[in-house]
Each structure stands twice: as structure tokens, then as C-alpha cells.
Amino acid sequence: MIPSSLFTVPIWDDQLPNHEEVNNELIPILKKYREDNATVTQSNVNGYQSNKKLHTVEELTELFQYINFQINRAAASIGLEGQLAVNESWVNFNDTQASINLQHIHGGVISGTYYVQVPEGSGSIFLTNPAPISMWEGLNICPERNHYASETIEVKPLEGTFIMWPSYLPHSVGPNTQNVERISIAFNASLIKE
């Protein structure tokens, strides 16, 4: 018998064209933004998280135009109607040993992260099954985790890629074990009010 999936969580990923060149330009802009804006404590521990206005920085307009384009493609792929746009975005610097982002969810319709710099050992993203699967007895008799029997999936991000998901999906960032600088841009998109 072959199972069918009744409730599924879509995950989208893509790579930014010319990401090496773009990231080289982004890093000094993001570091300057960090210097000019105090950290905000949300999900971050031992790291820096900016305010949620990063998408208003003029030098980042082209990046967010591309992200908005991909967000709307993702939304259309699951039958959502209307125009979405990033309305919250921030930069994360997990640049000290043991810096993490605790499990959390975002607001909006679609959320995601763009990875500017992710050296080896700087922390994976963990996507958590939103169903209360930890209470399911079947988890104890499944020796190899799979898409039907997993509490959490680890994704090792690559520089120049972004991952998007429905905003309700719980997620976290594992510890920076190498004391290296991990830089990511997180964002939420909502329906544009006419």
C-alpha cells in the first residue's frame, strides 16, 4: 500500500544568481547596519539580530525585489492568491561560539532566510514538524527518521541560497561551534493591502 499525504508543509529553496558577487557587496552594508542599529532580542542568544526594517535600506532594494518575485512564485505554487511582499526583514550575525536562535515561528504568510555567509560549523537551520508528532507512539518504532516520522529536519544552508516556508513552521538555528561569522537575512512577507 502506498501512502498519500493529506497535510504537507511546502519548503522552497533557490540560489541567488551571481551570489558570490552580491554577497561581497552585501557584507559591508550589513556590517554597517549592525554598527548603526542596536541588537534586538527575539530568538537570538549570544548573537546579533537587527530591527525588522532591513528591507527599507536603499542598497538592498534589488535583493528584496528578487526575494519578492520568488515569494510570489512560491505562493502561487500552493494556490495562494494576491500579491505578497516583504514587510519585515532583519539581519542575524551568529558570530560567537554557542550563538543560536531558539525555536520560534514568524508572522506573515511566507517567511524565509537568505544566507550571506555560512562557514562550516556556524550552525544549521532546524525545521520542526508542526504536528504534535512527539506524542505519537509510532515515532518509537521508526528506527530511521523520514518525512512521515520526524520531529525535526536539519538543513545545512549554503551561501547564496535562500529557504522559504509557510510562516507557521517552527524553526531554530543550531549552535555556532567554530566561533566563525555566520550572516543571514530573515524575512516575512504578507499580503499587500490594496
Side-chain angles (χ1 to χ4, degrees):
M1 189 178 296
I2 299 172
S4 61
S5 297
L6 182 59
F7 301 108
T8 60
V9 179
I11 305 295
W12 303 274
D13 64 272
D14 196 12
Q15 188 166 61
L16 188 70
N18 304 320
H19 64 273
E20 292 169 349
E21 179 184 327
V22 171
N23 287 350
N24 286 338
E25 293 172 8
L26 281 176
I27 290 170
I29 295 167
L30 297 173
K31 288 185 176 186
K32 176 81 168 82
Y33 196 80
R34 178 183 184 170
E35 286 174 23
D36 295 344
N37 295 275
T39 191
V40 175
T41 303
Q42 295 283 324
S43 66
N44 55 313
V45 176
N46 299 324
Y48 170 87
Q49 196 167 40
S50 76
N51 60 48
K52 295 183 177 182
K53 299 177 183 176
L54 190 66
H55 58 287
T56 64
V57 174
E58 189 176 336
E59 296 95 332
L60 303 179
T61 299
E62 208 171 302
L63 173 66
F64 282 104
Q65 285 174 341
Y66 182 79
I67 290 172
N68 283 332
F69 173 74
Q70 295 295 8
I71 285 168
N72 282 288
R73 286 184 63 209
S77 76
I78 59 170
L80 301 182
E81 294 183 357
Q83 191 74 13
L84 299 177
V86 171
N87 64 327
E88 295 181 322
S89 62
W90 57 98
V91 61
N92 295 295
F93 282 83
N94 287 20
D95 55 357
T96 59
Q97 199 154 12
S99 56
I100 62 169
N101 290 80
L102 300 171
Q103 183 171 296
H104 60 286
I105 62 170
H106 290 200
V109 178
I110 292 179
S111 298
T113 304
Y114 174 69
Y115 296 96
V116 180
Q117 187 171 286
V118 282
E120 187 68 33
S122 62
S124 294
I125 185 168
F126 292 87
L127 306 173
T128 302
N129 191 335
I133 195 167
S134 62
M135 297 187 289
W136 178 45
E137 192 176 317
L139 203 58
N140 298 325
I141 57 173
C142 186
E144 290 188 32
R145 297 296 188 246
N146 57 52
H147 288 285
Y148 298 103
S150 287
E151 293 177 275
T152 302
I153 301 290
E154 177 182 4
V155 178
K156 293 184 179 181
L158 300 173
E159 290 177 9
T161 63
F162 60 91
I163 302 171
M164 300 185 304
W165 55 84
S167 299
Y168 63 77
L169 185 67
H171 56 284
S172 60
V173 176
N176 183 335
T177 61
Q178 300 299 316
N179 205 28
V180 290
E181 188 172 61
R182 179 186 198 272
I183 306 173
S184 62
I185 295 172
F187 52 87
N188 298 327
S190 291
L191 187 64
I192 297 173
K193 303 282 194 268
E194 302 268 337

